Amino acid sequence: MSKSERVEKAYAVAKEICTDAGVDADKAVAALEKIRVSLHCWQGDDIKGFEVRDADVVSGNTVTGNYPGRARNIGEFRADVEKVLSLVGGRHRLALHAIYLDWPTKIDRDKLEPEHFKSWMDWSREKDVYMDMNQTYFDHPKANDGLTLTHPDAAIRQFWIDHGKAVRRVSEALGKNQGSPCVCNLWVQDGLKDVPANRLVFRQRLIEGLDATFAEKLDERHLLDAVEPKLFGIGTESFVPGSHEFYLGYAQSRKKLMTYDTGHFHPTETLADKMTSYFLFNEKLMLHVSRGIRWDSDHVLNLSDDLVQLVTELIRGDFLPRTFVGLDFFDASINRIAAWTIGLRSIQKAFLIAFLEPTKRLQDAENAFDYTTRLALMEEAKALPWSAVWDYFCLKAGVPVGEDWLAEVKKYETDVLSKRD
Ligand code: RNT
Ligand code: ZN
């Protein structure tokens, strides 16, 4: 039996098993095909970007590892992204940072224009990949104090306000180009290592900086602004002005999206429980799905119960049309293309498992106070033959089934990556 015959046969049996359990495997496959995940540019090149710089800067991100083969220019970077997309079913998105512009000379961050991203727009249309964007408030001489929008010096704050505004205009152009909104995500690294003497002033500056950044009214059909809170970072252990409470208040009062990064909460906090609360009071959400180990370590996403529960909540509440699902991790100790592929395929698997949940039966049991049945069925659902459905999804999408993608990555490593310095 050929591999594809085996996959088809296993799927036919799996489908019947799913029907018995009260779920429709064909529908689950069709639903998964529609999910565009926003792939994060920063796994591809350890967030170096393509900005022309005068001098080295203090890096605002902690990327560990020095696996060979990092993309050194836009051509290599795009080839790598295209490789990943060829290994994963469905159509997707790509989240850029502002420092991934395509321009041969130095353009400072406050001077960015849509034309600096023109080649990305062409690429986006050609590949049918929707673009998202992030302002870059790190890796810059004016960010060397670890403060940007909350810096005590008004001139530095103004520079970063102008950066934020410029990138919003770029994002609007990207959204217009793709005929679908581009999410522009704002995360600032600002914070303090040790206990502050005046928390309030930092938060007041942050509000002022954000309001000035968002003052220009741009077209919501093309641009959606998101703000990303954080609990703490390396070097900002004691205080981050842009905390969860800060941004929730900000986003609600200014009608912005929140970006929930799964690594930005206490390690025992899970995001699944937050979805219904968030969506009862807010319209749209951006997710940065990550895997924190003990802290916001941004390990490569893998398939976990937490992840399945998170996406299950999006499906149960019919929140998917209001959610932008992005990834956020970077590991430079393994093959970067494999890292992207593993993370993207993992979240797809989580979605598939969630689509195969016999939700109605679980909720009927809950409504009848039959918590025994609820737990029993939840546990049985975990053993549904989702892997046969997954293989079928991949086969149907014309992408490698099972571990076959790895051989392709290894070949790409030999043919392409190993030739890079
Ligand atoms: C940092 C945030 C942020 C970054 C990217 C590179 O903790 O999660 O999203 O990872 O902007
Ligand atoms: Zn993030």
Side-chain angles (χ1 to χ4, degrees):
M1 207 186 307
S2 74
K3 188 152 195 174
S4 57
E5 281 168 349
R6 215 169 67 205
V7 171
E8 300 264 9
K9 212 168 167 180
Y11 179 66
V13 177
K15 213 174 116 164
E16 283 184 26
I17 297 171
C18 289
T19 307
D20 284 353
V23 287
D24 186 331
D26 284 341
K27 264 199 193 151
V29 170
L32 184 57
E33 281 166 349
K34 289 206 199 84
I35 293 187
R36 278 190 190 248
V37 177
S38 192
L39 195 65
H40 54 311
C41 65
W42 47 101
Q43 170 60 74
D45 69 336
D46 314 341
I47 197 146
K48 295 252 185 298
F50 308 113
E51 192 179 56
V52 178
R53 289 176 186 160
D54 296 332
D56 279 353
V57 288
V58 181
S59 180
N61 287 281
T62 317
V63 185
T64 48
N66 58 353
Y67 198 86
R70 181 175 65 79
R72 297 160 303 180
N73 53 56
I74 289 213
E76 292 179 351
F77 183 84
R78 283 193 190 132
D80 292 357
V81 173
E82 286 162 27
K83 187 74 212 172
V84 174
L85 295 176
S86 77
L87 302 172
V88 180
R91 320 295 308 161
H92 296 285
R93 314 175 65 96
L94 178 67
L96 290 183
H97 249 280
I99 53 173
Y100 286 66
L101 75 168
D102 186 7
W103 205 254
T105 54
K106 184 183 162 176
I107 305 289
D108 211 349
R109 304 246 179 113
D110 57 337
K111 300 283 183 316
L112 288 168
E113 302 271 352
E115 64 172 333
H116 304 129
F117 292 85
K118 165 84 178 55
S119 73
W120 279 116
M121 294 188 212
D122 298 340
W123 183 86
S124 158
R125 279 199 315 274
E126 192 191 316
K127 306 289 173 198
D128 186 19
V129 174
Y130 291 174
M131 310 299 287
D132 292 315
M133 183 48 84
N134 293 262
Q135 285 105 341
T136 314
Y137 296 92
F138 47 79
D139 291 8
H140 188 281
K142 289 197 170 69
N144 279 350
D145 293 325
L147 298 172
T148 61
L149 288 179
T150 70
H151 200 284
D153 180 341
I156 292 189
R157 293 204 297 278
Q158 190 58 49
F159 173 83
W160 290 113
I161 289 167
D162 291 338
H163 170 61
K165 290 162 81 170
V167 177
R168 290 184 72 234
R169 286 183 213 119
V170 169
S171 304
E172 188 193 42
L174 288 167
K176 195 170 182 188
N177 178 63
Q178 67 205 17
S180 176
C182 163
V183 180
C184 183
N185 177 52
L186 185 156
W187 170 73
V188 294
Q189 58 173 323
D190 298 36
L192 298 177
K193 185 180 175 76
D194 222 324
V195 183
N198 190 350
R199 289 180 159 89
L200 187 59
V201 72
F202 285 96
R203 294 201 161 116
Q204 284 166 337
R205 285 185 203 131
L206 187 52
I207 293 189
E208 278 171 27
L210 293 169
D211 282 349
T213 303
F214 296 133
E216 187 178 3
K217 178 116 184 60
L218 297 175
D219 194 332
E220 283 185 11
R221 287 170 308 168
H222 309 316
L223 161 73
L224 293 170
D225 296 298
V227 287
E228 182 179 6
K230 185 159 170 161
L231 181 63
F232 78 96
I234 299 286
T236 60
E237 289 84 354
S238 295
F239 174 62
V240 171
S243 62
H244 184 74
E245 288 75 11
F246 175 91
Y247 275 122
L248 193 54
Y250 189 85
Q252 278 177 354
S253 56
R254 271 64 168 181
K255 303 266 174 289
K256 299 295 178 194
L257 279 71
M258 283 281 273
T259 295
Y260 278 26
D261 184 310
T262 58
H264 289 191
F265 295 85
H266 282 281
T268 57
E269 235 176 325
T270 58
L271 259 75
D273 183 59
K274 299 181 192 300
M275 295 299 105
T276 38
S277 299
Y278 181 82
F279 280 111
L280 283 169
F281 298 100
N282 299 276
E283 183 49 35
K284 291 191 170 74
L285 172 73
M286 173 91 204
L287 284 177
H288 269 186
V289 188
S290 193
R291 175 165 58 114
I293 303 242
R294 304 187 199 283
W295 67 289
D296 181 33
S297 63
D298 287 312
H299 278 66
V300 177
L301 191 64
N302 69 359
L303 180 58
S304 70
D305 206 25
D306 256 13
L307 180 59
V308 174
Q309 284 186 34
L310 171 61
V311 300
T312 298
E313 282 298 312
L314 299 177
I315 295 165
R316 286 182 186 165
D318 196 17
F319 301 138
L320 274 177
R322 296 158 65 186
T323 310
F324 293 85
V325 182
L327 303 180
D328 184 357
F329 51 79
F330 31 106
D331 188 341
S333 72
I334 61 173
N335 181 305
R336 294 170 185 78
I337 287 131
W340 255 333
T341 308
I342 292 165
L344 190 43
R345 285 174 68 108
S346 293
I347 198 165
Q348 286 191 315
K349 289 174 190 166
F351 268 114
L352 183 61
I353 293 170
F355 282 128
L356 290 172
E357 182 194 70
T359 313
K360 170 114 188 17
R361 293 180 72 197
L362 298 177
Q363 292 178 348
D364 285 350
E366 184 164 281
N367 290 336
F369 285 100
D370 186 355
Y371 298 154
T372 311
T373 298
R374 184 184 63 187
L375 181 60
L377 292 183
M378 272 182 187
E379 287 305 291
E380 289 307 319
K382 288 180 183 169
L384 281 177
W386 64 268
S387 71
V389 183
W390 166 245
D391 286 347
Y392 176 75
F393 166 81
C394 293
L395 183 75
K396 190 162 174 259
V399 302
V401 170
E403 64 169 67
D404 289 358
W405 65 267
L406 184 59
E408 289 201 30
V409 171
K410 294 279 187 196
K411 182 167 186 313
Y412 188 75
E413 181 165 285
T414 311
D415 296 350
V416 181
L417 301 181
S418 69
K419 311 247 157 45
R420 297 177 188 167
D421 293 332

